[in-house]
């Protein structure tokens, strides 16, 4: 192996010539998550074509999103932006009657400097539907960062805390009852005490869009440590956005939410709990521990819980142990996934990542470092803004057992005998919490298991070398 | 601004990339922001390409916005030149570069001075042309570039081949069944004793383009891409071209007769032998292709007069309309295309073969038309397939845009004599089978699933009483939606709110009358 792997975390930065999805793709999962929303992507045919192809069949299910397709008249300002958007939004209101319209600004609106933020409040008053503006464009962001821009914009719309305190006085009794009803009977007594514990009255809001089952799994894990999650950003409905304020604690569930975190801290004065992300049993445990320590709560039974999960993963671990992975990088989940896979016994050669926020991901990076030490595995190199061409050259040399990559490279790599897993699947699969650790390994091992089936056929290399 | 959920043809740069990446050893560099290289995903996934798609981006980011691309584009071009040593690099503008209005031609000029590859700027405007028009234009541009170059260098080859030969123009990546069609065309030409001079752009080398004029004539199987190139070659080199699409036995015959004409015209000049393809056409039509026999067979009688709707690109929609109407006796209630730029030609082609013509690129309009006509089968794109699913009407896919399932591994041409068999299968299988149809009608159907509303519009205010609902359930599934809609239409016209069994029968009588 000619490429040196160092002992400490090293960060490199390449040319940024890499393949990833356009951040407007966040529409795909966010419109499903926020049930009463409508996403209007203000852009050109290029954006529309990407969405319709990337989202495949979903388009036919009458989605709650559409393009406001810019025509030549819009670009040359022959048409009035405000009037045009008003016309479209009124039509959307008539057809769908959403609780919120989210305008997704694209590169085109950036370049022609369309003042979406300026127009939104005016139009909002006129048509009486909240309008949120998120600039999720390919000039500034990659793939999952689109969600970050939407949630950061949405954070401004969360109700203020004063109301919440008043409400809470009245609702305290009710909420305690509600908490009890969801708890197993035998632990009831213990939880009663912690409810009385004043520290538990401090609200905790989690941010990051997760499928509702995963969100309730994570809430339940925290409930077990007698922490009550007071809200999620985003909630299932726009009308249920959580209450924020200066004594609200917030914690992220995904590694690509640094703008949202910054907004919550600076603009909404929330207290951010820096933690590794709840991906893999190790990550989930560390995540819960950080939250508990912020609340001054001693965790209970977490170590056993983690141990149990590891044991249940036995079969998968046998498959992955000692195998090597190469992350080409396109969705910012890379650090957390690499950390989990190292803990599973894999060797990570390279972690490509579009953008690395060392402050927001600090706890995750530390955990990565301790995990490497613990597993006696050299630190992987972290490559920001990677260059796909160079990466493929490196991969040729390293011949990893698995490349986690975008769909543009997957088939060509497979044809050259390198196993691949599409990185996009990690974005859409349920990978958070103890319960879903299995799903991550299910994805990672799929190419390896497929190979066990095809291994003896003798044709792995399927291209003619020129 | 236009509210849009879906589009039939993609943006211009996709067309350019499709042409560029179809040639061998040609690299395209897009002047685009991050995430615009989605074309690579489509090619890698849909075509299941084994090779890396030769398309990269020269990323437009904030810095470019502030200061212009400056050295970036030139650097990216010369870097690619060193890495891959392509024959040609095509700098591809996107919607972004249209607005930025940077002088891309200047970058190209500078880059071509320092790189070994040829460098050109694709001459397409995002806001004026769509994917297909851009592909047509780019292909012409590349051909013109290399013929001009050859002319300057004196390497142009204009002497015709000894044997009759042809160029096939317009076969390219992500085209609807293009690979299979190409193979079938080659087979057809081989049967006729015609050599293939070149196939472009798929699998062609730009360094061979100077030999294009050696062919006796050009074939343009699809209207969408290749006509510009053929017209240019006709104008500058006097090469005639045949743009008849050899789809369906009738058009294949006229295609072959046009070829015969061309060869015999030139054989006078070249004093080679004349050809007569009539016996070949006759043999193929009557005995080799099964399509002619199939439309005579009693099975096909059941299709007589059944209503169909056709929608797709100009080439496929026109050819399928003609096949349905002339060769199978099916009534085409509406034929349509999304190729608005080719409207005139399309109307002229189908006007005698269908009841009405629809030219639009709005899928909702197509959906409404289908809901109104309620045909027995639809022949369209993937979009029409989904409309059909919703309305419970079967659909055969005959044109792009398509999904991965339309990039079949098995041999499925639409052109040539084997193509006629494939089309016949597709048409026949799309309609409910004849006997099954009768039996279901006689015995009242065998599926008892709950009735769900199939209409595209909002829910109705009508109520069905329990007997009428029961009666509705007895009607075979595949016509139930239609009966339900007809009854409701009738009820509304006669201001009936509660639908009874009597209403149903009255509606039926009213419709039959």
């Amino acid at each position: 192996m000619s490429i040196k792997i160092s002992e400490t975390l090293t960060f490199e930065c390449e040319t940024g010539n890499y393949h990833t999805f356009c951040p407007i793709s966040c529409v795909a999962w966010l419109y499903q998550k926020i049930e009463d929303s409508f996403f209007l992507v203000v852009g050109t045919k290029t954006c529309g074509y990407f969405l319709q192809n990337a989202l495949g069949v979903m388009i036919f299910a009458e989605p709650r999103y559409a393009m406001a397709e810019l025509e030549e008249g819009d670009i040359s300002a022959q048409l009035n932006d405000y009037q045009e958007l008003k016309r479209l939004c009124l039509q959307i209101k008539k057809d769908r009657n959403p609780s919120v319209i989210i305008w997704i600004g694209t590169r085109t609106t950036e370049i022609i400097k369309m003042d979406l933020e300026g127009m939104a409040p005016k139009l909002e008053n006129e048509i009486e539907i909240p309008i949120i503006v998120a600039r999720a464009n390919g000039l500034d962001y990659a793939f999952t960062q689109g969600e970050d821009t939407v949630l950061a914009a949405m954070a401004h719309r969360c109700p203020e805390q004063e109301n919440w305190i008043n409400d809470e006085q009245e609702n305290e009794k009710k909420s305690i009852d509600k908490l009890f009803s969801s708890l197993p009977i035998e632990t009831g007594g213990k939880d009663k005490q912690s409810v009385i514990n004043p520290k538990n009255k401090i609200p905790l809001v989690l941010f990051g869009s997760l499928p509702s089952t995963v969100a309730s799994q994570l809430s339940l894990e925290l409930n077990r440590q007698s922490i009550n999650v007071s809200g999620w950003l985003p909630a299932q409905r726009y009308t249920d956005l959580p209450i924020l304020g200066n004594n609200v604690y917030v914690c992220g569930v995904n590694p690509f939410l640094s703008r949202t975190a910054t907004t919550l801290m600076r603009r909404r004065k929330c207290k951010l709990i820096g933690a590794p992300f709840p991906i893999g049993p190790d990550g989930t445990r560390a995540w819960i521990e950080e939250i508990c320590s912020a609340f001054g709560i001693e965790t209970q039974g977490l170590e056993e819980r983690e141990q149990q999960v590891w044991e249940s993963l036995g079969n998968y671990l046998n498959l992955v142990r000692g195998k090597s992975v190469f992350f080409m990088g396109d969705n910012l989940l890379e650090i957390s996934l690499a950390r989990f896979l190292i803990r599973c016994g894999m060797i990570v050669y390279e972690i490509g990542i579009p953008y690395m926020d060392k402050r927001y991901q600090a706890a995750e990076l530390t955990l990565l470092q301790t995990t490497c030490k613990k597993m006696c595995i050299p630190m992987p190199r972290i490559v920001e803004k990677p260059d796909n061409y160079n990466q493929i050259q490196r991969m040729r040399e390293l011949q990893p057992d698995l490349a986690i990559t975008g769909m543009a490279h997957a088939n060509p790599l497979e044809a050259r005998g390198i196993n691949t897993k599409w990185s996009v699947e990690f974005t859409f699969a349920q990978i958070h919490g103890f319960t879903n650790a299995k799903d991550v390994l299910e994805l990672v091992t799929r190419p390896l298991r497929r190979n066990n089936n095809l291994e003896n056929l003798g044709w792995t290399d399927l291209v003619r070398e020129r | 601004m236009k509210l849009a959920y879906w589009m039939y043809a993609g943006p211009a740069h996709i067309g350019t990339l499709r042409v560029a990446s179809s040639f061998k050893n040609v690299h395209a560099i897009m002047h685009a922001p991050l995430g615009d290289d989605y074309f690579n995903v489509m090619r890698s996934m849909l075509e299941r390409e084994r090779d890396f798609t030769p398309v990269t981006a020269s990323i437009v980011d904030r810095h470019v916005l502030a200061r212009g691309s400056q050295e970036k584009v030139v650097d990216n071009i010369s870097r690619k030149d060193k890495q891959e040593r392509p024959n040609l690099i095509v700098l591809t503008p996107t919607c972004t570069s249209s607005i930025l209005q940077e002088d891309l031609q200047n970058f190209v000029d500078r880059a071509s001075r320092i790189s070994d590859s040829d460098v050109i700027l694709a001459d397409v405007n995002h806001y004026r042309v769509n994917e297909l028009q851009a592909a047509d234009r780019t292909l012409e541009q590349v051909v013109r570039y290399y013929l001009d170059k050859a002319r300057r260098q004196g390497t142009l080859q204009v002497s015709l081949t000894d044997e009759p030969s042809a160029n096939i123009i317009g076969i390219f990546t992500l085209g609807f069944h293009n690979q299979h069609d190409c193979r079938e065309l080659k087979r057809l030409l081989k049967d006729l004793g015609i050599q293939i001079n070149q196939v472009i752009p798929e699998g062609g080398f730009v360094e061979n383009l100077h030999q294009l004029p050696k062919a006796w004539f050009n074939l343009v199987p699809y209207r969408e891409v290749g006509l510009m190139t053929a017209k240019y070659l006709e104008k500058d080199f006097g090469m005639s071209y045949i743009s008849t699409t050899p789809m369906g036995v009738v058009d294949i015959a006229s295609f072959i007769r046009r070829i015969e004409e061309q060869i015999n015209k030139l054989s006078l000049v070249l004093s080679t032998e004349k050809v007569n393809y009539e016996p070949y056409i006759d043999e193929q039509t009557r005995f080799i292709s099964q399509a002619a026999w199939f439309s005579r067979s009693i099975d096909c009688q059941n299709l007589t007069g059944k209503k169909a709707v056709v929608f797709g690109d100009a080439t496929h929609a026109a050819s399928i309309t003609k096949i349905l109407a002339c060769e199978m006796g099916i009534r085409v209630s509406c034929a349509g295309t999304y190729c608005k730029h080719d409207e005139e030609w399309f109307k002229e082609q189908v006007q005698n073969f269908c009841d009405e013509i629809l030219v639009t690129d709005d899928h909702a309009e197509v959906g409404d038309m289908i809901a109104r006509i309620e045909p027995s089968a639809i022949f369209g794109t993937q979009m029409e397939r989904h409309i059909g699913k919703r309305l419970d009407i079967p659909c055969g896919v005959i044109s792009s845009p398509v999904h991965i399932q339309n990039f079949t591994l098995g041999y499925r041409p639409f052109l040539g004599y084997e193509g006629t068999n494939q089309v016949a299968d597709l048409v026949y299988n799309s309609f409910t089978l004849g006997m099954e149809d009768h039996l279901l009608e006689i015995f009242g159907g065998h599926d008892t699933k709950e009735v769900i509303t199939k209409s595209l519009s909002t829910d109705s205010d009508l109520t069905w009483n329990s007997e009428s609902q029961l009666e509705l359930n007895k009607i075979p599934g595949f016509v139930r939606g239609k009966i339900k809609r007809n009854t409701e239409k009738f009820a509304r016209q006669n201001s009936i709110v509660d639908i009874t069994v009597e209403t149903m029968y009255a509606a039926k009588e009213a419709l039959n009358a």
Side-chain angles (χ1 to χ4, degrees), chain A residues 13-19 354 384-388, chain B residues 34 57 59 72:
Chain A
C13 189
E14 283 191 308
T15 63
N17 251 315
Y18 62 101
H19 165 76
E384 247 187 293
K385 288 172 173 279
D387 185 295
N388 282 166
Chain B
L34 197 63
I59 304 281
K72 206 170 179 181

Side-chain angles (χ1 to χ4, degrees), chain A residues 142-403:
Chain A
F143 197 14
T144 48
Q145 286 179 291
E147 175 180 323
D148 194 20
T149 62
V150 174
L151 297 190
M154 209 169 264
H156 291 281
R157 301 300 181 111
C158 296
E160 272 297 326
Q161 198 179 21
E162 288 88 51
N163 313 334
W164 187 79
I165 290 170
N166 294 337
D167 281 352
E168 201 207 26
Q169 298 294 338
E170 297 159 24
N171 289 341
E172 194 170 20
K173 177 78 172 66
K174 223 198 283 178
S175 71
I176 290 172
D177 290 347
K178 212 163 92 188
L179 187 64
F180 276 126
S181 66
S182 68
L183 286 168
I185 295 154
E186 64 269 22
T187 56
K190 200 187 283 169
D191 281 291
K192 191 174 176 182
Q193 283 182 342
S194 53
V195 167
I196 294 158
N197 180 353
K199 273 178 183 145
N200 195 45
K201 282 190 187 161
I202 302 163
L204 170 69
V205 169
L206 299 178
F207 58 96
S209 161
L210 292 178
S212 59
T213 49
V214 181
S216 51
Q217 281 161 6
L218 286 181
S219 304
L220 196 70
E221 294 294 350
L222 290 173
N223 256 336
R224 287 197 178 142
Q225 306 300 332
S226 43
I227 292 172
N228 193 21
V229 178
S230 59
W232 282 83
L233 175 69
Q236 202 68 21
R237 301 181 65 81
Y238 174 74
T239 43
D240 298 340
L241 279 180
I243 296 148
L244 296 178
N246 59 11
N247 67 359
V248 175
Y249 277 84
V250 291
C251 188
V253 296
N254 266 323
F256 44 77
L257 298 172
S258 54
R259 272 177 76 91
T260 311
T262 314
T263 309
L264 290 171
M265 278 195 303
R266 296 206 184 138
R267 308 296 299 274
R268 305 305 307 264
K269 311 291 176 210
C270 302
K271 297 187 181 72
L272 179 72
I273 303 172
F277 301 99
I279 294 168
D282 50 340
T284 309
R285 179 182 163 191
W287 182 73
I288 296 173
E289 278 172 351
E290 288 295 340
I291 294 174
C292 286
S293 87
F295 283 84
I297 291 171
E298 193 100 352
T299 61
Q300 281 165 6
L302 255 193
E303 204 177 332
E304 297 78 33
R305 179 108 172 89
E306 189 196 351
Q307 201 47 45
Q308 260 171 12
V309 177
W310 283 117
E311 274 160 28
S312 71
L313 297 176
N315 287 339
Y316 293 105
L317 295 180
N318 291 338
L319 271 172
V320 298
R321 199 168 291 126
K323 298 261 175 22
S324 55
V325 196
F326 191 109
F327 284 88
M328 283 186 82
D330 72 347
N331 59 12
L332 284 93
L333 294 171
E334 290 88 1
I335 302 282
S336 314
L337 287 172
R339 178 259 304 149
F340 170 50
L341 294 183
I342 290 172
R343 180 67 184 71
C344 290
M346 296 184 92
I347 300 152
V348 177
Y349 286 148
E350 174 168 328
I351 307 175
I353 185 166
Y355 170 73
M356 179 75 240
D357 186 333
K358 286 176 202 155
R359 274 191 303 175
Y360 176 63
Q361 294 220 39
E364 184 62 87
L365 286 168
T366 315
L367 183 59
L368 172 69
Q369 227 164 341
T370 49
T371 306
C372 287
K373 271 185 204 132
K374 190 165 154 195
M375 302 301 291
C376 299
I377 275 171
M379 297 294 169
R381 50 195 266 161
I382 297 173
V383 182
E384 247 187 293
K385 288 172 173 279
D387 185 295
N388 282 166
Y389 182 85
N390 296 343
Q391 285 185 314
I392 287 162
Q393 306 306 317
R394 292 200 285 273
M395 237 187 278
R396 282 209 167 124
E397 221 161 316
L398 294 163
Q399 288 292 322
D401 294 306
L402 183 70

Side-chain angles (χ1 to χ4, degrees), chain B residues 130 132-133 223-224 227 311-315 317-318 335-351 354 356-361 365:
Chain B
N130 69 19
L132 298 169
Q133 292 163 293
R223 280 195 69 73
E224 285 71 27
L227 268 187
F311 196 86
D313 63 20
T315 303
T337 181
Y338 56 84
C339 294
K340 284 162 92 173
H341 59 279
D342 215 6
E343 182 171 353
E344 226 167 280
W345 177 86
F346 184 78
K347 283 186 168 164
E348 183 194 312
Q349 290 294 306
V350 299
Q351 62 185 354
C354 59
E356 55 181 299
I357 298 172
L358 178 67
V359 179
T360 179
D361 54 6
E365 217 176 304

Side-chain angles (χ1 to χ4, degrees), chain A residues 17 19 44 52 59-60 62 67 69 72 74 84 87 107 110-111 140 387 389 411-412 416 462, chain B residues 1-2 4-5 7 36-38 44 50-51 57 62 79 83-84 95-96 99 126 128 383 390:
Chain A
N17 251 315
H19 165 76
T44 59
Q52 103 179 29
I59 196 95
F60 300 108
E62 298 216 14
M67 291 289 307
E69 193 185 315
E72 202 163 8
D74 299 302
E84 291 293 300
R87 184 170 56 82
R107 75 313 255 306
E110 284 304 304
I111 298 170
D140 302 305
D387 185 295
Y389 182 85
N411 267 339
R416 283 157 185 78
L462 292 160
Chain B
M1 263 179 230
K2 203 169 80 180
Y5 295 89
M7 63 186 94
D36 256 11
D37 55 354
Y38 190 71
S44 173
R50 300 170 195 219
D51 280 317
R62 281 283 156 191
R79 189 170 157 230
Q83 284 170 353
E84 316 248 316
C95 62
T96 309
I99 313 169
H126 175 90
R128 302 272 166 87
M383 193 58 190
R390 195 143 36 141

Side-chain angles (χ1 to χ4, degrees), chain A residues 315-321 323 401 414 419 444-458 460:
Chain A
N315 287 339
Y316 293 105
L317 295 180
N318 291 338
L319 271 172
V320 298
R321 199 168 291 126
K323 298 261 175 22
D401 294 306
E414 287 282 351
N419 302 312
V444 169
T445 58
R446 195 170 297 154
L448 303 171
R449 282 179 286 134
R450 192 258 336 254
N451 282 4
N452 289 348
N453 297 335
L454 304 182
E455 204 166 34
N456 302 323
L457 295 174
T460 49

